[in-house]
Amino acid sequence: MGWTSYGLDQVAQRLVLDAKERNTDSLNQSYKMRMATAYGLERFWGEHLRLQRREQEKARYWKDTWDALVEAMQEAGFTLPNDTIRSDNVQAVRTMSQKLWALDIETQRVALAVLTQLCDCIVWWTQRHKD
């Protein structure tokens, strides 16, 4: 099996354009997303929860990006948890975090590599579509 891009560049462009249609301020999150990849899957996933109460559009951009990662990983044969929860449901947050921390090391590494590449693509498209 050879290298496959899994359409990450196209996915990134779609995410950026969708965010731009909703709210241009959300595009600034692209750079924060890329920086957050260094902190791991659980922290990246959890960022949309932090934004849920005050900044819905930014939260949606993070969650849409996570959903795109999950889809790309599934296409590559890996399964990532993707529970839909609210930030005020502490038990659900705890459960989802545990699922992410329990992933085997290979899945974690592949997911972080794919997430990093996806975020690099998002940053590139953000630079081209920002007003």
Side-chain angles (χ1 to χ4, degrees):
M1 180 173 173
W3 180 83
T4 305
S5 73
Y6 297 102
L8 293 180
D9 201 42
Q10 293 88 341
V11 169
Q13 184 186 38
R14 178 185 52 81
L15 289 166
V16 169
L17 292 175
D18 288 352
K20 184 175 180 164
E21 280 183 336
R22 290 190 309 266
N23 179 349
T24 306
D25 291 340
S26 295
L27 290 181
N28 290 332
Q29 296 299 301
S30 301
Y31 306 100
K32 294 176 183 179
M33 284 183 202
R34 177 57 181 90
M35 290 186 334
T37 62
Y39 296 104
L41 295 174
E42 191 277 337
R43 290 185 184 186
F44 187 95
W45 169 82
E47 188 63 14
H48 84 280
L49 298 175
R50 184 184 72 78
L51 296 166
Q52 265 182 1
R53 285 189 226 140
R54 294 177 309 209
E55 300 177 282
Q56 285 291 317
E57 289 304 320
K58 291 177 183 179
R60 181 175 175 188
Y61 193 24
W62 281 82
K63 181 63 167 84
D64 287 350
T65 300
W66 179 263
D67 291 345
L69 170 67
V70 170
E71 288 176 23
M73 291 295 293
Q74 191 166 21
E75 190 176 333
F78 294 87
T79 301
L80 292 181
N82 194 19
D83 302 350
T84 300
I85 62 171
R86 296 201 40 80
S87 61
D88 58 357
N89 186 340
V90 175
Q91 186 54 46
V93 172
R94 188 174 285 135
T95 299
M96 179 63 180
S97 296
Q98 289 299 323
K99 288 178 183 180
L100 290 168
W101 287 325
L103 292 171
D104 65 83
I105 195 70
E106 178 188 10
T107 301
Q108 289 179 33
R109 287 180 179 158
V110 171
L112 280 171
V114 172
L115 179 60
T116 300
Q117 181 60 42
L118 177 59
C119 288
D120 284 347
C121 292
I122 288 171
V123 167
W124 194 91
W125 284 111
T126 296
Q127 291 170 342
R128 269 96 198 134
H129 291 293
K130 224 173 162 188
D131 293 332

PDB file of all heavy atoms in Angstrom, residues 44-56:
ATOM      1  N   PHE A  44      -6.500  18.748  22.190  1.00  0.00           N
ATOM      2  CA  PHE A  44      -7.066  19.298  20.954  1.00  0.00           C
ATOM      3  C   PHE A  44      -8.580  19.097  20.959  1.00  0.00           C
ATOM      4  O   PHE A  44      -9.333  20.038  20.715  1.00  0.00           O
ATOM      5  CB  PHE A  44      -6.452  18.636  19.720  1.00  0.00           C
ATOM      6  CG  PHE A  44      -6.889  19.290  18.439  1.00  0.00           C
ATOM      7  CD1 PHE A  44      -6.103  20.261  17.857  1.00  0.00           C
ATOM      8  CD2 PHE A  44      -8.086  18.941  17.831  1.00  0.00           C
ATOM      9  CE1 PHE A  44      -6.508  20.895  16.683  1.00  0.00           C
ATOM     10  CE2 PHE A  44      -8.506  19.558  16.671  1.00  0.00           C
ATOM     11  CZ  PHE A  44      -7.720  20.539  16.087  1.00  0.00           C
ATOM     12  N   TRP A  45      -9.027  17.873  21.227  1.00  0.00           N
ATOM     13  CA  TRP A  45     -10.461  17.583  21.252  1.00  0.00           C
ATOM     14  C   TRP A  45     -11.174  18.469  22.269  1.00  0.00           C
ATOM     15  O   TRP A  45     -12.242  19.009  22.002  1.00  0.00           O
ATOM     16  CB  TRP A  45     -10.697  16.097  21.577  1.00  0.00           C
ATOM     17  CG  TRP A  45     -12.127  15.827  21.870  1.00  0.00           C
ATOM     18  CD1 TRP A  45     -13.126  15.628  20.957  1.00  0.00           C
ATOM     19  CD2 TRP A  45     -12.739  15.775  23.155  1.00  0.00           C
ATOM     20  NE1 TRP A  45     -14.325  15.454  21.605  1.00  0.00           N
ATOM     21  CE2 TRP A  45     -14.099  15.534  22.957  1.00  0.00           C
ATOM     22  CE3 TRP A  45     -12.259  15.912  24.461  1.00  0.00           C
ATOM     23  CZ2 TRP A  45     -15.006  15.433  24.010  1.00  0.00           C
ATOM     24  CZ3 TRP A  45     -13.149  15.800  25.510  1.00  0.00           C
ATOM     25  CH2 TRP A  45     -14.509  15.571  25.275  1.00  0.00           C
ATOM     26  N   GLY A  46     -10.592  18.658  23.423  1.00  0.00           N
ATOM     27  CA  GLY A  46     -11.248  19.390  24.504  1.00  0.00           C
ATOM     28  C   GLY A  46     -11.371  20.883  24.283  1.00  0.00           C
ATOM     29  O   GLY A  46     -12.170  21.547  24.952  1.00  0.00           O
ATOM     30  N   GLU A  47     -10.626  21.425  23.348  1.00  0.00           N
ATOM     31  CA  GLU A  47     -10.667  22.879  23.139  1.00  0.00           C
ATOM     32  C   GLU A  47     -12.048  23.355  22.698  1.00  0.00           C
ATOM     33  O   GLU A  47     -12.490  24.438  23.085  1.00  0.00           O
ATOM     34  CB  GLU A  47      -9.596  23.297  22.136  1.00  0.00           C
ATOM     35  CG  GLU A  47      -9.423  24.779  22.004  1.00  0.00           C
ATOM     36  CD  GLU A  47      -8.962  25.491  23.271  1.00  0.00           C
ATOM     37  OE1 GLU A  47      -8.505  24.836  24.227  1.00  0.00           O
ATOM     38  OE2 GLU A  47      -9.053  26.735  23.299  1.00  0.00           O
ATOM     39  N   HIS A  48     -12.769  22.558  21.941  1.00  0.00           N
ATOM     40  CA  HIS A  48     -14.108  22.990  21.529  1.00  0.00           C
ATOM     41  C   HIS A  48     -15.045  23.105  22.735  1.00  0.00           C
ATOM     42  O   HIS A  48     -15.948  23.936  22.736  1.00  0.00           O
ATOM     43  CB  HIS A  48     -14.686  22.068  20.445  1.00  0.00           C
ATOM     44  CG  HIS A  48     -15.343  20.828  20.945  1.00  0.00           C
ATOM     45  ND1 HIS A  48     -14.616  19.709  21.313  1.00  0.00           N
ATOM     46  CD2 HIS A  48     -16.641  20.527  21.145  1.00  0.00           C
ATOM     47  CE1 HIS A  48     -15.460  18.768  21.700  1.00  0.00           C
ATOM     48  NE2 HIS A  48     -16.685  19.234  21.611  1.00  0.00           N
ATOM     49  N   LEU A  49     -14.777  22.322  23.766  1.00  0.00           N
ATOM     50  CA  LEU A  49     -15.605  22.410  24.975  1.00  0.00           C
ATOM     51  C   LEU A  49     -15.365  23.731  25.709  1.00  0.00           C
ATOM     52  O   LEU A  49     -16.300  24.342  26.219  1.00  0.00           O
ATOM     53  CB  LEU A  49     -15.299  21.238  25.911  1.00  0.00           C
ATOM     54  CG  LEU A  49     -15.593  19.855  25.356  1.00  0.00           C
ATOM     55  CD1 LEU A  49     -15.135  18.787  26.345  1.00  0.00           C
ATOM     56  CD2 LEU A  49     -17.061  19.695  25.007  1.00  0.00           C
ATOM     57  N   ARG A  50     -14.110  24.152  25.745  1.00  0.00           N
ATOM     58  CA  ARG A  50     -13.781  25.414  26.416  1.00  0.00           C
ATOM     59  C   ARG A  50     -14.490  26.586  25.745  1.00  0.00           C
ATOM     60  O   ARG A  50     -14.936  27.525  26.397  1.00  0.00           O
ATOM     61  CB  ARG A  50     -12.268  25.638  26.395  1.00  0.00           C
ATOM     62  CG  ARG A  50     -11.817  26.871  27.157  1.00  0.00           C
ATOM     63  CD  ARG A  50     -10.330  27.089  27.016  1.00  0.00           C
ATOM     64  NE  ARG A  50      -9.945  27.544  25.694  1.00  0.00           N
ATOM     65  CZ  ARG A  50     -10.073  28.801  25.254  1.00  0.00           C
ATOM     66  NH1 ARG A  50     -10.593  29.726  26.031  1.00  0.00           N
ATOM     67  NH2 ARG A  50      -9.672  29.123  24.047  1.00  0.00           N
ATOM     68  N   LEU A  51     -14.620  26.504  24.433  1.00  0.00           N
ATOM     69  CA  LEU A  51     -15.215  27.600  23.673  1.00  0.00           C
ATOM     70  C   LEU A  51     -16.745  27.535  23.598  1.00  0.00           C
ATOM     71  O   LEU A  51     -17.377  28.517  23.198  1.00  0.00           O
ATOM     72  CB  LEU A  51     -14.637  27.598  22.254  1.00  0.00           C
ATOM     73  CG  LEU A  51     -13.140  27.877  22.148  1.00  0.00           C
ATOM     74  CD1 LEU A  51     -12.632  27.515  20.760  1.00  0.00           C
ATOM     75  CD2 LEU A  51     -12.840  29.318  22.489  1.00  0.00           C
ATOM     76  N   GLN A  52     -17.340  26.411  23.963  1.00  0.00           N
ATOM     77  CA  GLN A  52     -18.784  26.202  23.776  1.00  0.00           C
ATOM     78  C   GLN A  52     -19.661  27.292  24.387  1.00  0.00           C
ATOM     79  O   GLN A  52     -20.620  27.730  23.763  1.00  0.00           O
ATOM     80  CB  GLN A  52     -19.221  24.861  24.376  1.00  0.00           C
ATOM     81  CG  GLN A  52     -19.261  23.747  23.403  1.00  0.00           C
ATOM     82  CD  GLN A  52     -19.747  22.458  24.039  1.00  0.00           C
ATOM     83  OE1 GLN A  52     -20.076  22.388  25.223  1.00  0.00           O
ATOM     84  NE2 GLN A  52     -19.778  21.413  23.240  1.00  0.00           N
ATOM     85  N   ARG A  53     -19.370  27.692  25.574  1.00  0.00           N
ATOM     86  CA  ARG A  53     -20.266  28.636  26.272  1.00  0.00           C
ATOM     87  C   ARG A  53     -20.231  30.049  25.720  1.00  0.00           C
ATOM     88  O   ARG A  53     -21.240  30.725  25.682  1.00  0.00           O
ATOM     89  CB  ARG A  53     -19.928  28.669  27.756  1.00  0.00           C
ATOM     90  CG  ARG A  53     -20.427  27.440  28.465  1.00  0.00           C
ATOM     91  CD  ARG A  53     -20.288  27.579  29.962  1.00  0.00           C
ATOM     92  NE  ARG A  53     -19.719  26.321  30.437  1.00  0.00           N
ATOM     93  CZ  ARG A  53     -18.811  26.219  31.354  1.00  0.00           C
ATOM     94  NH1 ARG A  53     -18.338  27.284  31.941  1.00  0.00           N
ATOM     95  NH2 ARG A  53     -18.358  25.046  31.710  1.00  0.00           N
ATOM     96  N   ARG A  54     -19.055  30.513  25.331  1.00  0.00           N
ATOM     97  CA  ARG A  54     -18.930  31.922  24.959  1.00  0.00           C
ATOM     98  C   ARG A  54     -18.725  32.172  23.477  1.00  0.00           C
ATOM     99  O   ARG A  54     -19.063  33.245  22.977  1.00  0.00           O
ATOM    100  CB  ARG A  54     -17.770  32.554  25.717  1.00  0.00           C
ATOM    101  CG  ARG A  54     -17.986  32.633  27.211  1.00  0.00           C
ATOM    102  CD  ARG A  54     -16.768  33.184  27.844  1.00  0.00           C
ATOM    103  NE  ARG A  54     -15.642  32.393  27.334  1.00  0.00           N
ATOM    104  CZ  ARG A  54     -14.526  32.163  27.971  1.00  0.00           C
ATOM    105  NH1 ARG A  54     -14.337  32.687  29.132  1.00  0.00           N
ATOM    106  NH2 ARG A  54     -13.591  31.407  27.460  1.00  0.00           N
ATOM    107  N   GLU A  55     -18.124  31.230  22.773  1.00  0.00           N
ATOM    108  CA  GLU A  55     -17.755  31.463  21.384  1.00  0.00           C
ATOM    109  C   GLU A  55     -18.161  30.268  20.528  1.00  0.00           C
ATOM    110  O   GLU A  55     -17.318  29.477  20.093  1.00  0.00           O
ATOM    111  CB  GLU A  55     -16.257  31.744  21.289  1.00  0.00           C
ATOM    112  CG  GLU A  55     -15.858  32.977  22.107  1.00  0.00           C
ATOM    113  CD  GLU A  55     -14.369  33.223  22.093  1.00  0.00           C
ATOM    114  OE1 GLU A  55     -13.645  32.532  22.829  1.00  0.00           O
ATOM    115  OE2 GLU A  55     -13.953  34.111  21.329  1.00  0.00           O
ATOM    116  N   GLN A  56     -19.449  30.178  20.262  1.00  0.00           N
ATOM    117  CA  GLN A  56     -20.024  29.022  19.569  1.00  0.00           C
ATOM    118  C   GLN A  56     -19.407  28.762  18.198  1.00  0.00           C
ATOM    119  O   GLN A  56     -19.159  27.615  17.843  1.00  0.00           O
ATOM    120  CB  GLN A  56     -21.540  29.199  19.423  1.00  0.00           C
ATOM    121  CG  GLN A  56     -22.301  28.971  20.706  1.00  0.00           C
ATOM    122  CD  GLN A  56     -22.253  27.510  21.104  1.00  0.00           C
ATOM    123  OE1 GLN A  56     -22.407  26.615  20.279  1.00  0.00           O
ATOM    124  NE2 GLN A  56     -22.042  27.262  22.382  1.00  0.00           N
TER     125      GLN A  56
END
